[in-house]
Amino acid sequence: MEYVAIDFQTANELRASACSVALVTVKDGEVVDVFYSLIRPDVLRFNKDNVAMHGITESMVKDKPYFVDLWPLIKEKIKGKVLVAHYAAFDMDVLADTLEAAELPFPNNQVLCTCVLGRALFPALPHHHLEDVCAAVGHDYKVKYNALENAKACVAIVEYAIKASGAP
């Protein structure tokens, strides 16, 4: 099985304001590729609440690539693979809105949400936030609101589920 855990952070309340992206590609239970990049949003406006969460600022991204410049690489890395994210609707909305702003088509990938997976695995948990599900699977979740740490956490949840199912 091959999949890509994906996570975005945004500069403000707009889903088309991606300011970082992480992709962690897993094949047969092994991480085979890791990609992380800061992104310069088309509109360089950061909300103080978003900055307080992820720590990414305007000055950090002003000289970074725009999403449209990263898209050919990202598109190749996710081509034909299942996309995995926690609260996947958010990350897929970021991808969709960012692509729409660039007048690019949305890819036809299957999507797996690790929040939904966490609810199935651990229905007794009072919350299924990423840190809660990580604790339940024994993953040391280090930094909240960091795209790369979030993608790695999603991998830990999926791999736990695969092992728990008894699948080879």
Side-chain angles (χ1 to χ4, degrees), residues 1 3 9 17 20 22 26 34 42 71 73 75 85 88 92 94 99 109 114-115 120 124-125 135 147 152 155 159:
M1 176 176 161
Y3 63 91
Q9 297 299 311
S17 69
S20 72
V26 177
V34 175
D42 290 337
W71 178 238
L73 176 65
K75 182 179 176 183
M92 294 306 103
V94 171
L99 288 169
N109 295 70
T114 55
C115 182
L125 282 179
K152 289 177 179 179
V155 170
E159 291 305 311

Side-chain angles (χ1 to χ4, degrees), residues 49-88:
D49 294 331
N50 291 54
V51 172
M53 284 190 295
H54 55 56
I56 301 169
T57 64
E58 288 181 26
S59 64
M60 293 169 70
V61 302
K62 68 179 180 179
D63 296 324
K64 298 302 179 189
Y66 289 94
F67 182 83
V68 70
D69 298 321
L70 293 171
W71 178 238
L73 176 65
I74 293 169
K75 182 179 176 183
E76 188 59 34
K77 288 180 178 293
I78 68 172
K79 185 178 181 180
K81 297 176 182 79
V82 174
L83 298 180
V84 175
H86 203 77
Y87 298 119

Side-chain angles (χ1 to χ4, degrees), residues 123-138:
L125 282 179
H127 303 285
H128 293 88
H129 303 296
L130 188 54
E131 61 268 25
D132 300 320
V133 181
C134 282
V137 303

Side-chain angles (χ1 to χ4, degrees), residues 112-153:
L112 172 67
C113 180
T114 55
C115 182
V116 172
L117 184 58
R119 286 186 188 119
L121 290 167
F122 307 105
L125 282 179
H127 303 285
H128 293 88
H129 303 296
L130 188 54
E131 61 268 25
D132 300 320
V133 181
C134 282
V137 303
H139 176 71
D140 183 21
Y141 182 58
K142 296 179 172 110
V143 185
K144 285 176 71 170
Y145 304 112
N146 175 283
L148 186 54
E149 289 298 321
N150 290 356
K152 289 177 179 179

